Short mmCIF file of all heavy atoms in Angstrom, two decimals:
data_model
loop_
_atom_site.label_atom_id
_atom_site.label_comp_id
_atom_site.label_asym_id
_atom_site.label_seq_id
_atom_site.Cartn_x
_atom_site.Cartn_y
_atom_site.Cartn_z
N TYR A 212 14.45 3.65 -6.05
CA TYR A 212 15.18 4.69 -5.31
C TYR A 212 15.18 5.95 -6.15
O TYR A 212 15.49 5.92 -7.34
CB TYR A 212 16.61 4.20 -5.07
CG TYR A 212 17.45 5.07 -4.17
CD1 TYR A 212 17.18 5.14 -2.80
CD2 TYR A 212 18.54 5.77 -4.68
CE1 TYR A 212 17.97 5.92 -1.97
CE2 TYR A 212 19.35 6.54 -3.85
CZ TYR A 212 19.06 6.61 -2.49
OH TYR A 212 19.84 7.37 -1.66
N TRP A 213 14.83 7.08 -5.51
CA TRP A 213 14.65 8.34 -6.24
C TRP A 213 15.66 9.38 -5.76
O TRP A 213 15.32 10.39 -5.15
CB TRP A 213 13.23 8.86 -6.04
CG TRP A 213 12.16 7.99 -6.62
CD1 TRP A 213 11.74 6.76 -6.18
CD2 TRP A 213 11.37 8.29 -7.77
NE1 TRP A 213 10.74 6.28 -6.97
CE2 TRP A 213 10.48 7.19 -7.95
CE3 TRP A 213 11.29 9.37 -8.64
CZ2 TRP A 213 9.54 7.14 -8.99
CZ3 TRP A 213 10.36 9.32 -9.67
CH2 TRP A 213 9.50 8.22 -9.83
N ALA A 214 16.93 9.15 -6.08
CA ALA A 214 17.99 10.05 -5.61
C ALA A 214 17.80 11.51 -6.03
O ALA A 214 18.01 12.42 -5.22
CB ALA A 214 19.35 9.54 -6.07
N PRO A 215 17.40 11.81 -7.30
CA PRO A 215 17.26 13.22 -7.69
C PRO A 215 16.21 13.99 -6.87
O PRO A 215 16.33 15.20 -6.69
CB PRO A 215 16.85 13.14 -9.16
CG PRO A 215 17.43 11.85 -9.63
CD PRO A 215 17.25 10.92 -8.47
N ILE A 216 15.18 13.28 -6.39
CA ILE A 216 14.16 13.95 -5.58
C ILE A 216 14.78 14.46 -4.28
O ILE A 216 14.52 15.58 -3.84
CB ILE A 216 12.98 13.00 -5.27
CG1 ILE A 216 12.28 12.58 -6.57
CG2 ILE A 216 11.99 13.64 -4.31
CD1 ILE A 216 11.61 13.70 -7.31
N GLY A 217 15.62 13.64 -3.67
CA GLY A 217 16.32 14.07 -2.47
C GLY A 217 17.39 15.09 -2.76
O GLY A 217 17.60 16.04 -1.99
N GLY A 218 18.09 14.91 -3.89
CA GLY A 218 19.17 15.83 -4.25
C GLY A 218 18.66 17.23 -4.51
O GLY A 218 19.30 18.21 -4.11
N LEU A 219 17.52 17.33 -5.16
CA LEU A 219 16.94 18.65 -5.43
C LEU A 219 16.56 19.34 -4.13
O LEU A 219 16.83 20.54 -3.95
CB LEU A 219 15.72 18.51 -6.33
CG LEU A 219 14.99 19.81 -6.69
CD1 LEU A 219 15.91 20.75 -7.44
CD2 LEU A 219 13.73 19.51 -7.51
N ALA A 220 15.96 18.58 -3.22
CA ALA A 220 15.59 19.16 -1.93
C ALA A 220 16.82 19.67 -1.19
O ALA A 220 16.83 20.79 -0.67
CB ALA A 220 14.85 18.11 -1.09
N ALA A 221 17.87 18.86 -1.17
CA ALA A 221 19.09 19.25 -0.48
C ALA A 221 19.73 20.49 -1.11
O ALA A 221 20.19 21.40 -0.42
CB ALA A 221 20.08 18.09 -0.47
N SER A 222 19.73 20.53 -2.45
CA SER A 222 20.34 21.66 -3.14
C SER A 222 19.60 22.96 -2.90
O SER A 222 20.18 24.05 -2.98
CB SER A 222 20.40 21.37 -4.65
OG SER A 222 19.10 21.41 -5.23
N MET A 223 18.29 22.86 -2.60
CA MET A 223 17.48 24.05 -2.36
C MET A 223 17.33 24.35 -0.87
O MET A 223 16.66 25.29 -0.48
CB MET A 223 16.10 23.88 -3.00
CG MET A 223 16.17 23.75 -4.52
SD MET A 223 14.55 23.47 -5.30
CE MET A 223 13.75 25.06 -5.05
N GLY A 224 17.95 23.50 -0.03
CA GLY A 224 18.01 23.78 1.38
C GLY A 224 16.77 23.45 2.19
O GLY A 224 16.50 24.08 3.21
N PHE A 225 15.98 22.47 1.75
CA PHE A 225 14.82 22.07 2.55
C PHE A 225 14.78 20.55 2.68
O PHE A 225 15.35 19.82 1.87
CB PHE A 225 13.51 22.58 1.94
CG PHE A 225 13.25 22.15 0.52
CD1 PHE A 225 12.62 20.93 0.24
CD2 PHE A 225 13.63 22.95 -0.55
CE1 PHE A 225 12.39 20.53 -1.06
CE2 PHE A 225 13.39 22.55 -1.86
CZ PHE A 225 12.77 21.34 -2.11
N GLU A 226 14.14 20.07 3.75
CA GLU A 226 14.08 18.64 4.02
C GLU A 226 12.87 17.99 3.36
O GLU A 226 12.92 16.82 2.98
CB GLU A 226 14.03 18.38 5.53
CG GLU A 226 15.31 18.77 6.26
CD GLU A 226 15.25 18.42 7.72
OE1 GLU A 226 14.22 17.87 8.17
OE2 GLU A 226 16.24 18.69 8.44
N LYS A 227 11.78 18.73 3.25
CA LYS A 227 10.56 18.21 2.64
C LYS A 227 10.01 19.22 1.65
O LYS A 227 10.28 20.42 1.73
CB LYS A 227 9.51 17.90 3.72
CG LYS A 227 9.85 16.71 4.59
CD LYS A 227 8.67 16.35 5.49
CE LYS A 227 8.94 15.07 6.26
NZ LYS A 227 7.77 14.65 7.07
N TYR A 228 9.21 18.71 0.73
CA TYR A 228 8.58 19.56 -0.28
C TYR A 228 7.31 20.18 0.28
O TYR A 228 6.51 19.51 0.93
CB TYR A 228 8.24 18.74 -1.53
CG TYR A 228 9.45 18.34 -2.34
CD1 TYR A 228 10.17 17.19 -2.02
CD2 TYR A 228 9.87 19.12 -3.41
CE1 TYR A 228 11.29 16.83 -2.76
CE2 TYR A 228 10.99 18.76 -4.15
CZ TYR A 228 11.70 17.61 -3.81
OH TYR A 228 12.81 17.26 -4.54
N SER A 229 7.13 21.46 0.00
CA SER A 229 5.89 22.16 0.34
C SER A 229 5.05 22.27 -0.93
O SER A 229 5.58 22.14 -2.04
CB SER A 229 6.19 23.55 0.87
OG SER A 229 6.72 24.37 -0.18
N PRO A 230 3.75 22.53 -0.81
CA PRO A 230 2.93 22.72 -2.01
C PRO A 230 3.45 23.83 -2.91
O PRO A 230 3.42 23.72 -4.14
CB PRO A 230 1.55 23.06 -1.44
CG PRO A 230 1.52 22.36 -0.12
CD PRO A 230 2.93 22.50 0.41
N GLU A 231 3.95 24.91 -2.29
CA GLU A 231 4.43 26.05 -3.08
C GLU A 231 5.67 25.68 -3.88
O GLU A 231 5.80 26.02 -5.07
CB GLU A 231 4.75 27.23 -2.15
CG GLU A 231 3.56 27.82 -1.44
CD GLU A 231 3.04 26.97 -0.29
OE1 GLU A 231 3.81 26.11 0.23
OE2 GLU A 231 1.86 27.13 0.09
N ILE A 232 6.60 24.97 -3.24
CA ILE A 232 7.81 24.55 -3.94
C ILE A 232 7.48 23.56 -5.04
O ILE A 232 8.00 23.64 -6.16
CB ILE A 232 8.81 23.92 -2.94
CG1 ILE A 232 9.38 25.01 -2.02
CG2 ILE A 232 9.94 23.21 -3.67
CD1 ILE A 232 10.20 24.48 -0.88
N THR A 233 6.57 22.64 -4.76
CA THR A 233 6.18 21.64 -5.75
C THR A 233 5.55 22.30 -6.97
O THR A 233 5.85 21.94 -8.11
CB THR A 233 5.19 20.63 -5.13
OG1 THR A 233 5.79 20.04 -3.99
CG2 THR A 233 4.82 19.55 -6.13
N ALA A 234 4.67 23.26 -6.75
CA ALA A 234 4.03 23.96 -7.87
C ALA A 234 5.07 24.69 -8.71
O ALA A 234 5.00 24.68 -9.94
CB ALA A 234 2.99 24.94 -7.33
N ALA A 235 6.04 25.31 -8.05
CA ALA A 235 7.08 26.05 -8.78
C ALA A 235 7.95 25.10 -9.61
O ALA A 235 8.31 25.41 -10.75
CB ALA A 235 7.95 26.82 -7.79
N ILE A 236 8.26 23.94 -9.05
CA ILE A 236 9.07 22.96 -9.77
C ILE A 236 8.34 22.47 -11.01
O ILE A 236 8.90 22.42 -12.11
CB ILE A 236 9.43 21.78 -8.84
CG1 ILE A 236 10.44 22.24 -7.78
CG2 ILE A 236 9.99 20.61 -9.65
CD1 ILE A 236 10.69 21.22 -6.70
N MET A 237 7.08 22.11 -10.85
CA MET A 237 6.33 21.58 -11.97
C MET A 237 6.10 22.64 -13.04
O MET A 237 6.04 22.33 -14.23
CB MET A 237 4.98 21.03 -11.50
CG MET A 237 5.10 19.84 -10.57
SD MET A 237 6.12 18.50 -11.23
CE MET A 237 5.19 18.03 -12.68
N ALA A 238 6.00 23.89 -12.64
CA ALA A 238 5.79 24.97 -13.60
C ALA A 238 7.09 25.43 -14.24
O ALA A 238 7.08 26.06 -15.29
CB ALA A 238 5.10 26.15 -12.92
N GLY A 239 8.22 25.11 -13.61
CA GLY A 239 9.50 25.62 -14.08
C GLY A 239 10.51 24.55 -14.42
O GLY A 239 10.63 24.12 -15.57
#
């Protein structure tokens, strides 16, 4: 179970990850 993956999405106001958001997360 990966609660932080869902928690981060919820905190940033989106239901699913986009390529742009994913790239920003990995870079930041």
